[in-house]
Amino acid sequence: MASIAAPTSEQTIAAARSERRPGGLWLLLPGPLGWMVFFYLVPLVILLVHAFWSVDYLTIQRTFTLENFRTLLTNDLYLRVLGRTAAMAAVVTLADLCLAFPLAYFLAKRVTKHRELLLLLVIFPLWSSYLIRVFAWKTILGTNGILNSFLLTVGVIDQPATAFLYSKTAMFLTFSQVWLPFMILPLFTVLDRLPNSFIEAASDLGANPWRTFRSVILPLSLPGILAGSLSVFSLTLGDYITPTLLGGPGDQMIGRLVADNFGMSNNWPLGATLVVPILVLVSLFIAVANRFGALGRTAA
Amino acid sequence: MAQALMTETPVRADAGRFGGTPSIELRDVSKFFGQVPAVSGISLEVRQGEFLTLLGPSGCGKTTTLRMIGGFELPSAGEIVIEGEAMGDRPPYRRPVNTVFQNYALFPHMTVGQNVSYGLEMTGVPKPERQRRVAEALDMVRLPHVENRKPAELSGGQQQRVALARALVNRPAVLLLDEPLGALDLKLRKTMQLELKQLNREVGATFVYVTHDQEEALTMSDRIAVMNEGRILQLGTPGDIYERPRTRFVADFIGQTNFLEVEVIGSDGAAVEVDLPGSGPLRARPPEGVPAQGTMTLAVRPEKISLMADLPGSEIPGWDRLSGRLEEIIYVGTYTQYVLRLPGGQELAVHRQNRAVGEGEHPMGETLTVVFNPQSAALLAD
Ligand SMILES: Nc1ncnc2c1ncn2[C@@H]1O[C@H](COP(=O)(O)OP(=O)(O)OP(=O)(O)O)[C@@H](O)[C@H]1O
Ligand SMILES: [Mg+2]
């Protein structure tokens, strides 16, 4: 019960605990901290600094300018791609939430035998390469793919359809599938910790299953919902492999543009600038999630 | 008088309180979890407004029985009738029953006020009435001014009261309580025991209370159902259960009892004459439901036995009398326990009230003579 007590009291307890920690433990910090600073924070700062520089015939001009941001905000293409990317991330997040919740609930509350095994099956795809899973979708949706063969055999279509691959739908399907475990795990964690007696108490007090879900289960699993959504949302937001392999010509996503600017067009400053809205969106999400206590409690 | 109380359903002074249709009826109810029998054919009638306690050791099926009444588990066989209506497979939210859970199960994301008004909201009680009844309920459990706090900001005892208020505010016909005082310290437990009993009288709801604490059961209940291994062994008033246990298990589970193996010699109607090997003939109360014959167990509680030396005047006519060597003295505060070794090798515990300090102490090894009323000595078949 303590695990889902009011955040205030829990934070107090956490604070009290950390105060009592033996000082010797601080000696463990420099290693991981140094790693984070040199391999994460420093590159991030370098990246952001690039956003305020410009490029002149493939050489980077190290003088402060807001030109890149002006381009970003005035060029229709960037805003459209940005909007499309955010919309895709939002829809994928929502779809995964709807798919993952019943599954996580079933695993946490109904399954008594083989729970670990079933949970392992959820995690299992994460152990295979992400690329392989994306290519798998290509073989499913392709012109000679499994879906077309099936539909041809059944007789729904008489020509292999080309519409499945290289489309928003293909991207949506792939994203939803590959990120699903990231949604299931935190949901499973909160639901597993949610005492059955809360659900029984609601029912005992006259709430039908729907009202129990809305007034007790949903609010108490909010940390897991936010944690899972944060993962799926930011993973989709920054991805460029799926759009490259499965997206159509008009389905450009921001990650792809970033990659292009750092790669082919060799315009690091613009690439860095395009990262900024992604960072802002994700930071906003983190702030909201943190506000509702999604971080720290569901380290999934 | 003792005879009159021995009837199957004892006549109580306040019997008028109960009457009409039973509040809850269990008809041959069983529950299996897979192959494991948790409850094996329980039949029970709980009267309107009664405080009935299910008492028994861990794993005997108390919680399962209560959960079947609440609708959280469905019986594998048998029928449960509440307020004259067969429950069948009705879910908890459609039963006239509310539960106080062992760990309180207060919703942590809601304030105390929201917790208490939850049930009223679910049944569509309009807001003004809801507010009034929530305030009333919190008053009733003596917990005003906490409506806006979160459950985590309350002490265990306060949470307990909120859980009670949350259930009682719905004015259920039946209130189910599963070891609701288990997590409280002894002092608070005692206070809450009295308050619960008082609430039962005030609100008139039927209380079904689960505990494995025999003292709690004795103080609070109108009737106690002693359970073991999924069955009810004995159902009766606290006095009944304590003074007239039918089986060795009941006598042993509730209070402390000396068990002596005896041979039945004869009977004169009012008492049975038995032989205690090594000590000779004794008289005992006739057993209930079984014939007095062969080898039986004589059960007598330590506090029913007095030291001869403590009794003013001489021998009491017709009382049983035993002598033994004093082997153990345990000081327990309100009384001292003496353990005597009888000539036949049996042990006999005797409780002697500690009155004046240092009065009438006995050294180890002394031979003491003790007496008890034959009506306090029960004959059990097992
Ligand atoms: N959900 C379940 N699945 C399997 N077996 C169960 C389940 N619930 C209870 N049992 C078994 O049924 C029996 C009765 O359990 P129950 O919880 O009713 O006992 P209890 O009298 O309440 O015990 P306690 O005093 O320890 O709470 C036990 O043997 C228990 O192991
Ligand atoms: Mg129990």
Side-chain angles (χ1 to χ4, degrees), chain A residues 1 4-6 8-9 195 197-198 200-209 211-212 215-216 219-220, chain B residues 67 72 92-93 97-99 101 103 105-110 118-119 121-122 150 152-153 159 166 170:
Chain A
M1 208 156 104
I4 27 174
T8 46
S9 65
S197 59
F198 290 170
E200 288 178 352
S203 181
D204 183 74
L205 292 166
N208 60 32
R211 300 193 75 172
T212 300
S215 60
V216 175
L220 288 177
Chain B
R67 287 173 60 81
F72 304 114
Y93 56 92
V97 168
N98 282 120
T99 306
F101 292 83
N103 56 2
L106 297 176
F107 305 129
H109 60 302
M110 298 183 194
Y118 189 87
E121 227 170 291
M122 291 305 131
K150 287 280 177 68
E153 296 161 354
Q159 289 182 25
R166 184 176 71 171
N170 306 295

Side-chain angles (χ1 to χ4, degrees), chain B residues 261-265 272-275 291-297 379:
Chain B
E261 199 169 281
V262 294
E263 291 291 332
V264 175
I265 303 170
V272 178
E273 195 165 358
V274 298
D275 177 62
Q293 60 184 35
T295 307
M296 297 189 89
T297 302
L379 276 178

Side-chain angles (χ1 to χ4, degrees), chain B residues 157-216:
Chain B
Q158 289 173 321
Q159 289 182 25
Q160 167 63 61
R161 283 159 206 255
V162 175
L164 259 173
R166 184 176 71 171
L168 286 174
V169 75
N170 306 295
R171 300 184 185 143
V174 173
L175 187 69
L176 306 175
L177 305 105
D178 192 354
E179 309 209 21
L181 308 182
L184 305 182
D185 63 63
L186 190 66
K187 214 107 204 183
L188 192 54
R189 246 182 119 102
K190 299 260 181 217
T191 320
M192 287 303 296
Q193 285 174 7
L194 294 178
E195 287 185 11
L196 274 175
K197 182 75 207 174
Q198 210 174 326
L199 276 174
N200 169 239
R201 288 206 199 91
E202 277 170 23
V203 303
T206 307
F207 279 38
V208 182
Y209 190 91
V210 161
T211 184
H212 58 245
D213 180 334
Q214 39 126 341
E215 204 182 314
E216 197 166 283

Side-chain angles (χ1 to χ4, degrees), chain B residues 33 36-39 56-65 73 102 178-179 210 212:
Chain B
F33 290 107
V36 185
V39 170
S58 188
C60 72
K62 308 178 296 282
T63 297
T64 306
T65 305
E73 306 280 0
Q102 176 161 21
D178 192 354
E179 309 209 21
V210 161
H212 58 245

